[in-house]
Amino acid sequence: MTHTADITRPPRHLVDGLLKIGAATASATLAHMGIRCAFMTGPVAWTRGRAVAGPALTLHCLPKREDLYGEGEYKDPEKQLHRHVLYHVQEGDIVVVDARGDMRSGIFGEMMMTYFKGRRGGGVVIDGCVRDWPNLRDLGVPLWVRGVTPNFHTQTDIMPVAVNVPIACGGVTVIPGDIIVADDDGAVCVPVALAAACIEKAHRDHGWEDFSREMLEQGGDLRRYYPLSDAARPEYEAWCAQRGRKP
Amino acid sequence: MTHTADITRPPRHLVDGLLKIGAATASATLAHMGIRCAFMTGPVAWTRGRAVAGPALTLHCLPKREDLYGEGEYKDPEKQLHRHVLYHVQEGDIVVVDARGDMRSGIFGEMMMTYFKGRRGGGVVIDGCVRDWPNLRDLGVPLWVRGVTPNFHTQTDIMPVAVNVPIACGGVTVIPGDIIVADDDGAVCVPVALAAACIEKAHRDHGWEDFSREMLEQGGDLRRYYPLSDAARPEYEAWCAQRGRKP
Amino acid sequence: MTHTADITRPPRHLVDGLLKIGAATASATLAHMGIRCAFMTGPVAWTRGRAVAGPALTLHCLPKREDLYGEGEYKDPEKQLHRHVLYHVQEGDIVVVDARGDMRSGIFGEMMMTYFKGRRGGGVVIDGCVRDWPNLRDLGVPLWVRGVTPNFHTQTDIMPVAVNVPIACGGVTVIPGDIIVADDDGAVCVPVALAAACIEKAHRDHGWEDFSREMLEQGGDLRRYYPLSDAARPEYEAWCAQRGRKP
Amino acid sequence: MTHTADITRPPRHLVDGLLKIGAATASATLAHMGIRCAFMTGPVAWTRGRAVAGPALTLHCLPKREDLYGEGEYKDPEKQLHRHVLYHVQEGDIVVVDARGDMRSGIFGEMMMTYFKGRRGGGVVIDGCVRDWPNLRDLGVPLWVRGVTPNFHTQTDIMPVAVNVPIACGGVTVIPGDIIVADDDGAVCVPVALAAACIEKAHRDHGWEDFSREMLEQGGDLRRYYPLSDAARPEYEAWCAQRGRKP
Amino acid sequence: MTHTADITRPPRHLVDGLLKIGAATASATLAHMGIRCAFMTGPVAWTRGRAVAGPALTLHCLPKREDLYGEGEYKDPEKQLHRHVLYHVQEGDIVVVDARGDMRSGIFGEMMMTYFKGRRGGGVVIDGCVRDWPNLRDLGVPLWVRGVTPNFHTQTDIMPVAVNVPIACGGVTVIPGDIIVADDDGAVCVPVALAAACIEKAHRDHGWEDFSREMLEQGGDLRRYYPLSDAARPEYEAWCAQRGRKP
Amino acid sequence: MTHTADITRPPRHLVDGLLKIGAATASATLAHMGIRCAFMTGPVAWTRGRAVAGPALTLHCLPKREDLYGEGEYKDPEKQLHRHVLYHVQEGDIVVVDARGDMRSGIFGEMMMTYFKGRRGGGVVIDGCVRDWPNLRDLGVPLWVRGVTPNFHTQTDIMPVAVNVPIACGGVTVIPGDIIVADDDGAVCVPVALAAACIEKAHRDHGWEDFSREMLEQGGDLRRYYPLSDAARPEYEAWCAQRGRKP
């Protein structure tokens, strides 16, 4: 029987903290911490307006080789590893798939995503496609993909080969258990060991943004308010005091 | 005077049958019948939510050669073959264009598509672009294209050279008269000689999907219900009997 | 202190005239005037339904070189030239950025675009991305871009190097002060010296289109009405007379 | 039985005249005559140092469709159209193949090229690959290709569908019977109707090049000698007189 | 201490048998056995004229992540897995590297390849580059690569992460211990379980090629001799008898 | 009259020092100094076996716009900026051209390169092509290009717009006067301000390589000799002493 490893899930407060700062701030903050690009280029927000964070379950695909994976879609399904990554799904988990950028393989379809939703998965990021979009749309599972296709997962050029191993997705290495933050800007992989520092630094660096936005909307000078200049800091501190906020 | 061939249209019940099963099931079923990829990669559903099926009229483009096609847009229009493919349009026909993936040539614009709609064409699939999208949008012609452009069809690098000949569109060979099935998953070309067998096989393979979806929604086990296991088959047959359906 | 040049803005009636004819007619008319492709391939209408015209302010990026631009996002911001192009913005100006097609650099984010809106800029065209889309969406600045990203402008591979110099954007050369026309078909660069002739020629060539559209909607013959045949010209002139229009 | 059309071959003096001026001058001269790019981008000189000119026999490939071309390499070979294009070869003919830029299909191998050589073919231009290069190298057939591969012609994604029809090769339209000029700069397609004018204009425009080269080698001023300035023309005419050449 | 697995090497006669049939015949024969494309697209014969066969040692790279692999080239070299794959090299082994098609990372340089040669390795196949080519050229190690670069292996975008695991190289899945056959046509991966059958079938299918080549060279008819027709078989058998060969 | 700026040339010993360390060591050393990738990806060594170093003269191209550059090749040649960059050439200078990766424009041909050679230029690096290769080959000018073409520089899509301004070439920013180091590994841009430090660091880091190579050739352990381990350092120092070298 096929057995695949589960992951170690990060503490809830790290996931919540990253969801709150969002993909843009997470990516920028990691850049200032030495991770040049944590953003996965390729998968885009297919279900506009959704924002999620959660630990990564991973699925690795390789080019199809007919002596290893020649059978049809439904023959001995327990050997099909794209099913196994779903068996591990717990509430809020994000499934991340290295589908090699393939535009002719739909990794998951309506049935699989119905099951995923039933297990309360958080979202799916694929460097590739899903299928059954006419039906998937109504299901409401948050998706970051390159596109959609009518083809099924092993119909053309790829096959799943491993679950919960390190993968590349959209040019970024994802280690199982890393925290994915995804919204309309795209999907970012936060290395789990850097999550706490990232949240803390993000708050320190961007605490003044609400104040600055308000000033710019009122016609304030970009040089003074973005980034917050030393000259404007007392003004900001007064603004905070007024609102009972910590600068 | 320019003369181009018409096509032989398939019987209506084949077109209707394929429309009902949709692009995803058509593509998957053809794969199990030996046609590895009937899906055209490149053109995407530009008018979301539309689903069509119909026989293919085809238009072939080649790289522009100024000694063959140097004239302006409106000079001797009867020589412009993109017009001729429209002259053949009957109700429900799908025009399929090999525009070579070109992103700087808009094969049809508002005027042409107004004429196409007046002839009750079914839809248009282009491995390339249309133009006049600000006006086309309201017209409501179902479109599968790579994108839009303000340029007209021979403005930059391509020119139409033949109507109703075999073409390549999105990596798939389309023979005039083949049946195109297109929805939000994309556009699929069903070889007309395989259409009947494809419909029949699709029904046989996927009849249990409504039942399985219901079970998965109620928290059913993926292993038991998708694909339908032998263990669950009696359950499915009972479900059918209750509804007066044929398993 | 960093100093960058301003542009010479074209007369208002040229901008208004081009806005009225739209991107498709502007591009086609320029083609008939000898400019083969004035359309920028790559940036697409990200804020559907918007149409703008205005003079181009330009920003040029080059590949990042760490000895020239290694510092963080907020260190010595006055040296960051993407800010300076915004300092020049007057009502209706279009900022055009050669971001080298990079998908991992968000040239502007919410704060910059809030400032741009405050200065009543007309729109932004980038051969690349913006960031902060979850917030930008509500701001309503018209955008033609390749996509969105959570990364900031110099996070990965590029850096701004010059303001209001000739640039390439989407395969088209843009001279500062040229007029950009952008709508759902995409963005077109009209060389300012050709603007008046382009408007005049567009009216002459397409004056009959309203008439022809009406005829095609009523089932008229494409050969007769598009383009307007000599045979149908009297009919058109009568149609004009009836409406008090100049043919 | 499969029947394919032969071509009309151009007069020998046109072929010889073009061979003499070479690919660079042919392409540049055609550009000045209105054919912007007669050069096929993609195929490169694989057998360095060879130069050929001759009429084009053409072979058109489309994406493979298993219901049309599923059989093995050697089953019913008379249906394989890549053989038929070779049946037409006469001395000096150039076979041009639209292999769709495919890097995984070797259109011809050692056996086919041995036969081609036996018929004294002039050369082969493929927007794709050949196979059996370890053996082909010694055979000495002049080749312009994208590369080599061990795969045979229908092994992966394409199939031949027509012989001696208009094709696209490397972004250029080739009409059967057009004259191909190919050397280490690449392969150029000269429309047969323009061949005589192209040769005549090339001689007129470049007759002074031998003189100018000599001057530049001796340290002459680029401004004076390239292109030949009016000031230097008497000098050139004297140089011609000395050699009994017609200026 | 880093430990990586060794591979199981196939029997010598399989390796020798495949070397003798070469890449083109191996790839074609596998295609007829159901493996559509065993050819790695991307790496090309960089050291022309070399032909090798041997078991695959594999090296897997992922996109660089600075928190996992930020150190310099020479810091703690024992953690650098591209060294470890070389530690396993035995006479005739082929090192196959999934370098993700990266053109800016030179996986091995002169020093590493000197060591590889010292261990009598058979050759190296990389979906990417080597560095130090000015020195490597004289070393004479057979190489199939995409190109060369002055950069070292982790200088830009990738890092090695695993040794002797299944990888993708040039679009083909390679299992450690599979047999690589590489010559001027490129590199082919023969699944080890299919090697014996591939050799046997290749001999059966192509035994007549020497005879046919001789006939074609003497002006024989392609239809009669390639592939060998039934009509010509007695002739072939006589040819064999004369030479004491088994048909 | 067209006037373009000259450059400031670096001291000769910097150029000589960089030539001696070569492209691979220059690129690696700069990486350890913070310049992640100084290597230009795209142009490759077209004249194998040549190695050069010299200050960069630069030429910038933009997409062609017919209203700015519609004239023929030889009309008013003094306005053609690709000529002007050559007017600045002094002995050993390297001309670097941002030709936008275009494969259909040959920036320089035989005549221009004859003039360049006459001025004793060091070499040419183009992110694009040259033309007249059949003649250029014998001229012997060292070239790093993407390929060759028969087309001339403004025949298709680009035009030169500026001389000796900062450019991007192969993904690297080149400032006029920076030192280019190019050999069979490719071309590297060394920022002039870092040149002295780069040479000095290269010697410090790689002084032991000659010793290590000798050891590896004699079957030495990779772990001990590459990089040089502390254990082997006394051995290296003895080796140096014997040869009168400074360790």
Side-chain angles (χ1 to χ4, degrees):
Chain A
M1 211 192 117
T2 309
H3 177 81
T4 58
D6 200 359
I7 61 168
T8 304
R9 285 171 181 76
R12 193 70 221 162
H13 72 274
L14 292 181
V15 170
D16 291 345
L18 287 170
L19 179 58
K20 222 154 130 193
I21 67 177
T25 299
S27 165
T29 305
L30 285 170
H32 296 310
M33 293 167 67
I35 306 294
R36 218 162 33 89
C37 184
F39 161 59
M40 304 180 211
T41 313
V44 299
W46 208 257
T47 48
R48 291 290 178 93
R50 309 298 299 266
V52 302
L57 297 167
T58 67
L59 177 64
H60 187 204
C61 299
L62 280 180
K64 193 172 169 183
R65 220 172 72 183
E66 290 77 359
D67 60 320
L68 299 177
Y69 208 100
E71 72 268 41
E73 204 179 1
Y74 297 145
K75 178 144 162 260
D76 201 355
E78 275 312 288
K79 283 197 184 148
Q80 301 187 357
L81 288 171
H82 73 308
R83 301 171 66 93
H84 284 264
V85 72
L86 298 188
Y87 297 161
H88 291 290
V89 172
Q90 297 185 9
E91 182 169 1
D93 285 354
I94 313 282
V95 170
V96 185
V97 183
D98 175 8
R100 314 189 74 76
D102 195 291
M103 298 308 288
R104 307 195 306 169
S105 303
I107 301 300
F108 300 117
E110 183 203 4
M111 291 297 194
M112 292 300 191
M113 288 294 94
T114 300
Y115 177 74
F116 177 81
K117 189 185 176 184
R119 296 185 69 94
R120 295 192 287 178
V124 175
V125 181
I126 305 176
D127 192 5
C129 297
V130 289
R131 71 190 295 247
D132 280 338
W133 178 244
N135 301 323
L136 274 186
R137 186 176 20 212
D138 302 326
L139 202 60
V141 171
L143 294 173
W144 286 258
V145 295
R146 276 187 187 262
V148 298
T149 175
N151 290 1
F152 57 84
H153 71 303
T154 58
Q155 186 169 340
T156 51
D157 297 325
I158 61 173
M159 60 180 181
V161 295
V163 166
N164 291 336
V165 295
I167 60 169
C169 184
V172 173
T173 292
V174 179
I175 309 293
D178 280 345
I179 303 174
I180 306 302
V181 189
D183 57 29
D184 279 3
D185 266 352
V188 168
C189 172
V190 181
V192 69
L194 305 180
C198 175
I199 295 167
E200 201 267 340
K201 180 172 173 55
H203 287 163
R204 202 167 56 236
D205 291 356
H206 297 276
W208 44 264
E209 285 201 348
D210 287 344
F211 164 72
S212 290
R213 185 181 300 105
E214 211 173 296
M215 295 304 110
L216 290 173
E217 274 163 2
Q218 296 164 19
D221 184 2
L222 192 66
R223 295 165 188 82
R224 181 174 179 88
Y225 294 114
Y226 187 71
L228 187 70
S229 63
D230 289 346
R233 181 158 286 270
E235 203 180 328
Y236 164 54
E237 283 164 2
W239 181 90
C240 286
Q242 241 179 347
R243 283 158 184 75
R245 271 171 73 149
K246 213 169 54 175
Chain B
M1 212 192 115
T2 308
H3 177 81
T4 58
D6 200 0
I7 60 168
T8 303
R9 285 172 180 76
R12 192 73 221 161
H13 72 274
L14 291 182
V15 170
D16 292 344
L18 287 170
L19 179 58
K20 222 156 129 192
I21 67 176
T25 299
S27 165
T29 305
L30 285 170
H32 296 311
M33 293 167 67
I35 306 295
R36 223 163 29 90
C37 183
F39 161 60
M40 304 181 212
T41 313
V44 299
W46 207 256
T47 48
R48 291 291 178 93
R50 309 297 299 267
V52 303
L57 298 167
T58 67
L59 177 64
H60 187 204
C61 298
L62 281 180
K64 194 171 167 183
R65 220 173 73 181
E66 289 78 0
D67 60 322
L68 298 178
Y69 207 102
E71 70 268 44
E73 203 179 1
Y74 296 146
K75 181 147 159 256
D76 201 355
E78 275 313 287
K79 284 197 183 147
Q80 300 187 356
L81 289 170
H82 74 307
R83 301 171 66 92
H84 285 264
V85 72
L86 298 188
Y87 295 161
H88 292 290
V89 171
Q90 297 185 9
E91 181 169 2
D93 285 354
I94 313 282
V95 170
V96 185
V97 184
D98 175 7
R100 315 187 74 77
D102 196 290
M103 299 307 288
R104 306 195 307 168
S105 304
I107 301 300
F108 300 117
E110 183 204 4
M111 291 297 193
M112 293 299 191
M113 288 293 95
T114 300
Y115 177 73
F116 177 82
K117 189 184 175 185
R119 296 185 68 95
R120 296 194 286 180
V124 175
V125 181
I126 306 176
D127 192 6
C129 298
V130 288
R131 70 190 294 248
D132 279 338
W133 178 245
N135 301 322
L136 275 187
R137 187 177 18 214
D138 301 327
L139 202 59
V141 171
L143 295 173
W144 286 259
V145 295
R146 275 187 187 261
V148 298
T149 175
N151 290 1
F152 57 84
H153 70 304
T154 57
Q155 186 169 340
T156 51
D157 297 324
I158 61 173
M159 60 179 181
V161 295
V163 167
N164 291 336
V165 295
I167 60 168
C169 184
V172 173
T173 291
V174 179
I175 309 294
D178 280 346
I179 304 173
I180 306 302
V181 189
D183 57 28
D184 279 3
D185 266 351
V188 168
C189 173
V190 181
V192 69
L194 304 180
C198 175
I199 295 167
E200 200 266 342
K201 181 172 172 56
H203 288 163
R204 203 167 57 236
D205 291 356
H206 298 276
W208 44 264
E209 285 201 348
D210 287 345
F211 164 73
S212 291
R213 185 181 300 106
E214 212 173 296
M215 295 305 110
L216 290 173
E217 275 164 0
Q218 296 163 19
D221 184 1
L222 192 66
R223 294 165 188 83
R224 181 175 179 86
Y225 294 114
Y226 188 72
L228 188 70
S229 64
D230 289 346
R233 182 157 285 270
E235 204 180 329
Y236 165 53
E237 284 163 2
W239 182 89
C240 287
Q242 242 180 348
R243 281 156 186 77
R245 273 171 72 148
K246 212 168 56 174
Chain C
M1 209 191 118
T2 308
H3 177 81
T4 58
D6 199 359
I7 61 169
T8 304
R9 285 172 181 75
R12 191 72 221 161
H13 72 274
L14 292 181
V15 170
D16 291 344
L18 288 169
L19 179 58
K20 222 155 129 193
I21 67 176
T25 299
S27 165
T29 305
L30 286 170
H32 295 310
M33 293 167 67
I35 306 295
R36 219 160 35 86
C37 184
F39 161 60
M40 305 181 211
T41 314
V44 299
W46 207 257
T47 48
R48 291 289 178 96
R50 309 297 299 266
V52 303
L57 298 167
T58 66
L59 177 64
H60 188 205
C61 299
L62 281 179
K64 195 172 169 183
R65 219 172 74 181
E66 290 78 358
D67 59 322
L68 299 176
Y69 207 101
E71 71 268 43
E73 205 180 359
Y74 295 144
K75 177 144 163 262
D76 201 355
E78 274 314 286
K79 283 197 185 149
Q80 301 185 357
L81 289 170
H82 74 308
R83 301 171 67 93
H84 285 263
V85 74
L86 298 188
Y87 296 161
H88 292 289
V89 172
Q90 297 185 8
E91 180 169 2
D93 285 354
I94 313 282
V95 170
V96 185
V97 184
D98 175 9
R100 316 186 74 77
D102 195 291
M103 298 308 289
R104 307 195 305 169
S105 303
I107 302 299
F108 300 116
E110 183 204 4
M111 291 297 193
M112 292 300 189
M113 287 295 95
T114 299
Y115 176 73
F116 177 82
K117 189 186 177 185
R119 296 185 69 94
R120 295 193 286 177
V124 175
V125 181
I126 306 175
D127 192 6
C129 297
V130 288
R131 70 190 294 247
D132 279 339
W133 178 245
N135 301 323
L136 274 186
R137 188 178 17 215
D138 301 328
L139 202 59
V141 171
L143 294 173
W144 286 259
V145 294
R146 275 187 188 263
V148 297
T149 174
N151 290 1
F152 57 84
H153 70 304
T154 57
Q155 186 168 341
T156 51
D157 297 324
I158 61 172
M159 61 180 181
V161 295
V163 166
N164 291 336
V165 295
I167 59 169
C169 184
V172 173
T173 292
V174 179
I175 309 294
D178 280 345
I179 305 174
I180 306 302
V181 189
D183 57 27
D184 279 2
D185 265 352
V188 168
C189 173
V190 181
V192 70
L194 304 180
C198 175
I199 294 166
E200 201 267 340
K201 182 173 171 55
H203 288 162
R204 204 168 55 237
D205 291 356
H206 298 275
W208 44 264
E209 285 201 347
D210 288 345
F211 164 72
S212 290
R213 186 182 299 106
E214 211 173 297
M215 295 305 110
L216 291 173
E217 274 163 0
Q218 296 163 19
D221 184 1
L222 192 66
R223 294 165 189 84
R224 181 175 180 84
Y225 294 113
Y226 188 72
L228 188 69
S229 64
D230 289 345
R233 182 158 285 271
E235 204 180 327
Y236 165 54
E237 284 164 3
W239 182 90
C240 286
Q242 244 181 346
R243 282 157 185 77
R245 272 171 72 147
K246 214 169 54 176
Chain D
M1 210 192 119
T2 308
H3 177 81
T4 59
D6 199 359
I7 61 168
T8 303
R9 285 172 182 76
R12 193 69 221 164
H13 73 275
L14 292 181
V15 169
D16 291 345
L18 288 169
L19 179 58
K20 221 154 129 194
I21 66 177
T25 300
S27 165
T29 305
L30 286 170
H32 296 310
M33 294 167 67
I35 307 295
R36 223 161 30 89
C37 183
F39 161 59
M40 306 181 211
T41 313
V44 299
W46 208 256
T47 48
R48 290 287 178 98
R50 309 298 299 267
V52 302
L57 298 167
T58 67
L59 177 64
H60 187 204
C61 298
L62 281 180
K64 195 170 167 185
R65 218 172 75 182
E66 289 78 358
D67 59 323
L68 299 177
Y69 207 102
E71 72 267 42
E73 205 180 358
Y74 296 145
K75 177 143 162 262
D76 201 355
E78 276 312 287
K79 284 199 184 145
Q80 300 186 359
L81 289 170
H82 73 307
R83 301 172 67 94
H84 285 262
V85 74
L86 298 189
Y87 296 160
H88 292 291
V89 172
Q90 297 185 9
E91 181 169 1
D93 285 354
I94 313 283
V95 170
V96 185
V97 183
D98 174 9
R100 317 187 73 77
D102 195 292
M103 297 308 288
R104 307 195 305 169
S105 303
I107 300 300
F108 300 117
E110 182 204 4
M111 291 297 193
M112 291 300 190
M113 287 295 95
T114 300
Y115 176 74
F116 177 81
K117 190 186 176 185
R119 296 184 68 94
R120 296 192 287 176
V124 175
V125 181
I126 305 176
D127 193 6
C129 298
V130 289
R131 69 190 295 247
D132 279 338
W133 178 245
N135 301 323
L136 274 186
R137 188 178 17 214
D138 302 326
L139 202 58
V141 172
L143 295 173
W144 287 259
V145 296
R146 277 187 186 262
V148 297
T149 174
N151 290 1
F152 59 84
H153 70 303
T154 57
Q155 186 169 340
T156 50
D157 297 324
I158 61 174
M159 60 180 181
V161 295
V163 166
N164 291 335
V165 296
I167 60 169
C169 183
V172 173
T173 291
V174 179
I175 309 293
D178 280 346
I179 304 174
I180 305 302
V181 189
D183 57 26
D184 279 3
D185 265 352
V188 167
C189 173
V190 181
V192 70
L194 303 180
C198 175
I199 294 167
E200 201 267 340
K201 183 173 170 53
H203 288 163
R204 205 169 53 238
D205 291 356
H206 297 276
W208 44 264
E209 286 201 347
D210 287 345
F211 164 73
S212 290
R213 187 182 300 106
E214 211 173 295
M215 296 303 110
L216 291 173
E217 274 163 1
Q218 296 164 19
D221 184 1
L222 192 66
R223 296 166 187 82
R224 182 174 178 85
Y225 294 113
Y226 188 72
L228 188 70
S229 64
D230 289 344
R233 182 159 285 270
E235 204 180 328
Y236 165 53
E237 285 163 3
W239 181 91
C240 287
Q242 243 181 346
R243 282 157 184 75
R245 273 171 72 149
K246 216 170 51 177
Chain E
M1 210 192 117
T2 307
H3 177 82
T4 59
D6 199 359
I7 61 168
T8 304
R9 284 171 182 77
R12 192 72 220 163
H13 72 274
L14 292 182
V15 170
D16 291 344
L18 287 169
L19 179 58
K20 220 154 129 194
I21 66 176
T25 299
S27 165
T29 305
L30 285 170
H32 296 309
M33 294 168 66
I35 306 295
R36 223 162 28 90
C37 184
F39 162 59
M40 305 180 210
T41 313
V44 299
W46 208 257
T47 48
R48 290 289 178 96
R50 309 297 300 268
V52 302
L57 298 167
T58 66
L59 176 65
H60 187 205
C61 299
L62 281 181
K64 195 171 167 184
R65 218 171 75 182
E66 290 76 359
D67 60 323
L68 299 177
Y69 207 100
E71 71 268 42
E73 204 179 1
Y74 296 144
K75 177 141 164 263
D76 201 355
E78 276 312 288
K79 282 195 183 151
Q80 300 186 358
L81 288 171
H82 73 308
R83 300 171 67 93
H84 285 262
V85 73
L86 298 188
Y87 297 160
H88 291 291
V89 172
Q90 298 185 9
E91 181 169 0
D93 285 353
I94 313 282
V95 169
V96 185
V97 183
D98 175 8
R100 315 188 75 76
D102 195 292
M103 298 309 288
R104 307 195 305 168
S105 303
I107 301 300
F108 300 117
E110 182 204 4
M111 291 296 193
M112 292 301 191
M113 287 294 96
T114 300
Y115 176 74
F116 177 80
K117 190 185 174 183
R119 297 186 68 96
R120 295 193 286 178
V124 175
V125 181
I126 306 176
D127 194 6
C129 297
V130 289
R131 71 190 294 249
D132 279 338
W133 178 245
N135 302 323
L136 273 186
R137 188 178 17 214
D138 301 327
L139 202 59
V141 171
L143 294 173
W144 287 258
V145 296
R146 277 186 186 263
V148 298
T149 174
N151 290 0
F152 58 83
H153 71 303
T154 57
Q155 186 169 340
T156 51
D157 298 324
I158 61 173
M159 60 180 181
V161 295
V163 167
N164 291 336
V165 295
I167 61 169
C169 183
V172 173
T173 292
V174 179
I175 308 293
D178 280 346
I179 304 174
I180 305 302
V181 189
D183 57 28
D184 279 3
D185 266 351
V188 168
C189 172
V190 181
V192 69
L194 304 181
C198 176
I199 294 167
E200 201 266 339
K201 180 172 173 53
H203 287 164
R204 204 168 54 237
D205 291 355
H206 297 275
W208 44 264
E209 287 201 346
D210 287 345
F211 164 73
S212 291
R213 186 181 300 107
E214 211 172 297
M215 295 304 111
L216 290 174
E217 274 163 0
Q218 297 164 18
D221 184 2
L222 192 67
R223 296 165 187 83
R224 181 174 178 87
Y225 294 114
Y226 188 72
L228 188 70
S229 64
D230 289 346
R233 182 159 285 272
E235 204 180 327
Y236 164 54
E237 284 164 2
W239 182 91
C240 287
Q242 242 180 346
R243 282 157 184 76
R245 273 171 72 150
K246 214 169 54 177
Chain F
M1 211 192 114
T2 308
H3 177 81
T4 58
D6 200 0
I7 61 169
T8 304
R9 285 172 182 75
R12 192 71 221 163
H13 72 274
L14 292 181
V15 170
D16 291 344
L18 288 169
L19 179 58
K20 221 154 128 195
I21 66 176
T25 300
S27 165
T29 306
L30 285 170
H32 296 310
M33 294 167 67
I35 306 295
R36 224 164 25 90
C37 183
F39 161 60
M40 305 181 211
T41 312
V44 299
W46 208 257
T47 48
R48 289 291 177 95
R50 309 297 299 268
V52 302
L57 298 167
T58 66
L59 177 64
H60 187 204
C61 299
L62 281 180
K64 195 171 167 184
R65 219 172 73 181
E66 290 77 0
D67 59 323
L68 299 177
Y69 206 101
E71 71 269 41
E73 205 180 358
Y74 297 144
K75 182 147 158 254
D76 201 355
E78 276 312 287
K79 283 198 182 147
Q80 301 186 358
L81 289 170
H82 73 308
R83 300 171 67 93
H84 286 263
V85 73
L86 298 188
Y87 296 161
H88 293 290
V89 171
Q90 297 185 9
E91 182 170 358
D93 285 355
I94 313 282
V95 170
V96 185
V97 183
D98 175 9
R100 315 188 74 77
D102 195 291
M103 298 308 287
R104 307 194 307 167
S105 305
I107 300 300
F108 300 117
E110 183 204 4
M111 291 298 192
M112 293 300 191
M113 288 294 94
T114 299
Y115 177 74
F116 177 81
K117 190 185 175 184
R119 297 184 69 95
R120 296 193 285 178
V124 175
V125 181
I126 305 176
D127 193 7
C129 297
V130 289
R131 70 191 292 249
D132 280 336
W133 178 244
N135 301 322
L136 275 186
R137 187 179 16 213
D138 302 327
L139 202 60
V141 171
L143 295 173
W144 286 257
V145 295
R146 276 186 187 263
V148 297
T149 174
N151 290 1
F152 58 83
H153 70 302
T154 57
Q155 186 168 339
T156 51
D157 297 324
I158 61 173
M159 60 179 182
V161 295
V163 166
N164 290 337
V165 294
I167 60 168
C169 184
V172 173
T173 291
V174 179
I175 308 294
D178 280 347
I179 303 174
I180 306 302
V181 189
D183 57 27
D184 279 3
D185 265 351
V188 168
C189 173
V190 181
V192 69
L194 305 180
C198 176
I199 294 167
E200 201 266 339
K201 181 172 172 54
H203 288 163
R204 204 167 55 238
D205 291 356
H206 297 276
W208 44 264
E209 286 201 348
D210 287 343
F211 164 73
S212 291
R213 186 181 301 105
E214 211 174 295
M215 295 303 111
L216 290 174
E217 275 163 0
Q218 296 163 18
D221 185 1
L222 192 66
R223 295 166 187 81
R224 180 173 179 87
Y225 294 113
Y226 188 71
L228 187 71
S229 64
D230 289 345
R233 184 159 282 271
E235 203 180 329
Y236 165 55
E237 285 163 2
W239 182 91
C240 286
Q242 241 181 348
R243 282 157 185 76
R245 274 171 71 150
K246 214 167 55 175

